[in-house]
Amino acid sequence: MEERKTYIVANWKMNFTMDESSIFLHKLAQKITPAKNLEIILAPSIFTLQSLSLQVDYKQFRLAAQNFYHKDFGAYTGEVAVAQLKGIAEYGLVGHSERRHIFGETIEDTGHKVAAAIRSKVVPILCIGETMSERADGEESDVIYDQLIGGLSGITSHHIKDVIIAYEPVWAISTGGGGTVSAICSPDDLASTIKIIRSHIKHLYGAKVSQNIRVLFGGSVNVENIMSYLQVDGVDGALVGGASLNVESFSNIIKKTKEIRQAKR
Ligand code: 13P
């Protein structure tokens, strides 16, 4: 089996002005030394991407878009094409739960976006995950299957290796930082869902792909719990929201990630 890289992604969501992003990057860069097979990816808001791309040291960090449109160009006021991200962002989030649940992004939309990203040689990070009520109704596996089959509908077995999956249970997003509901995905919960995801991928693309595909976790990841999640078999990294907005906490998450990678060797 190939050694899979570890990925830590900072999803800044709709936070930070241009100046704040630049200062954050400057401070973070002083705390981080590159490590083999560990990729640190920053996903700032779309309008700061270009300026950060001029500032960033690509030996330390990579950049991701939080969202994009699937058409390559044309009369789509207000949208940014994934084709326009070429040379700026190497990665693009697709189907984040906030896109699905606040902005009504459909499974078909995610399929178009994943295919467009591959076309433009941007690595899609396809976010999937069930809601609390879907989980309560025992539909978790079916929901995830639908999101995978729809999101990957245009992806052949040749290109599947270029896709990253991020499991973000909707019920565990932004709940650990003092939110109103304190639902946390336990490492055991995560382990069983990762098995489900990899078995769906096996069904769709075969055993080898299922072993090699990169699967990340997101949902209230912080410096206290990162190790317990990265220890789960089949987890290749984390998508961090709230805890990525503070230089200290995000750099400590990276530090812990390096420790656990060393320990696993
Ligand atoms: P939190 O880490 O704030 O729960 O956000 C997770 C997330 O949505 C990352 O994409």
Side-chain angles (χ1 to χ4, degrees):
M1 196 170 90
E2 294 166 24
E3 194 197 348
R4 302 193 303 264
K5 275 190 188 177
T6 302
Y7 300 81
I8 299 293
V9 187
N11 180 5
W12 290 350
K13 306 192 179 183
M14 202 178 70
N15 292 291
F16 295 158
T17 61
M18 192 99 82
D19 288 352
E20 286 165 346
S21 310
S22 172
I23 292 167
F24 190 103
L25 176 57
H26 178 72
K27 287 187 181 161
L28 189 66
Q30 291 174 325
K31 289 180 174 286
I32 304 299
T33 47
K36 193 168 165 263
N37 278 344
L38 170 62
E39 203 126 308
I40 320 280
I41 303 170
L42 306 176
S45 80
I46 199 90
F47 92 111
T48 59
L49 255 183
Q50 209 237 346
S51 66
L52 289 192
S53 77
L54 302 174
Q55 183 186 339
V56 77
D57 176 351
Y58 285 97
K59 288 200 276 310
Q60 280 182 308
F61 306 108
R62 307 294 164 126
L63 295 176
Q66 295 174 15
N67 181 40
F68 53 83
Y69 194 51
H70 67 272
K71 298 279 187 183
D72 291 343
F73 59 89
Y76 303 102
T77 301
E79 292 294 332
V80 173
V82 66
Q84 293 173 306
L85 298 171
K86 254 179 153 174
I88 296 176
E90 274 174 69
Y91 296 87
L93 302 187
V94 176
H96 188 278
S97 80
E98 287 143 23
R99 301 289 328 157
R100 294 181 195 258
H101 297 287
I102 302 173
F103 299 101
E105 198 163 294
T106 64
I107 286 183
E108 289 71 31
D109 294 332
T110 64
H112 292 313
K113 288 185 182 195
V114 170
I118 293 290
R119 218 169 42 238
S120 289
K121 301 198 168 16
V122 166
V123 176
I125 302 178
L126 174 64
C127 303
I128 57 172
E130 79 289 357
T131 63
M132 182 69 102
S133 69
E134 287 162 345
R135 189 177 182 83
D137 291 344
E139 291 171 354
E140 173 195 354
S141 174
D142 290 346
V143 168
I144 287 174
Y145 188 73
D146 288 350
Q147 290 173 345
L148 283 173
I149 203 164
L152 300 174
S153 56
I155 302 304
T156 60
S157 51
H158 176 69
H159 281 123
I160 187 68
K161 64 177 183 330
D162 302 323
V163 176
I164 296 179
I165 306 292
Y167 172 57
E168 296 207 301
V170 181
W171 48 275
I173 293 179
S174 305
T175 51
T180 45
V181 195
S182 61
I184 297 291
C185 181
S186 72
D188 285 346
D189 290 335
L190 179 58
S192 64
T193 313
I194 292 291
K195 279 202 188 111
I196 292 173
I197 293 169
R198 289 195 184 272
S199 104
H200 288 332
I201 295 287
K202 184 174 174 188
H203 178 72
L204 295 170
Y205 292 96
K208 192 161 176 233
V209 172
S210 139
Q211 274 178 356
N212 289 336
I213 197 160
R214 298 151 296 175
V215 184
L216 317 184
F217 170 68
S220 303
V221 172
N222 59 35
V223 70
E224 279 84 38
N225 61 26
I226 180 81
M227 280 194 143
S228 65
Y229 292 133
L230 293 184
Q231 265 157 346
V232 171
D233 199 30
V235 172
D236 301 308
L239 201 46
V240 188
S244 75
L245 297 174
N246 176 286
V247 174
E248 218 42 55
S249 79
F250 190 59
S251 59
N252 282 331
I253 286 174
I254 295 164
K255 218 167 70 251
K256 295 256 177 183
T257 304
K258 284 184 180 169
E259 282 169 31
I260 191 142
R261 280 191 54 86
Q262 298 270 323
K264 270 187 172 176
R265 291 229 173 104

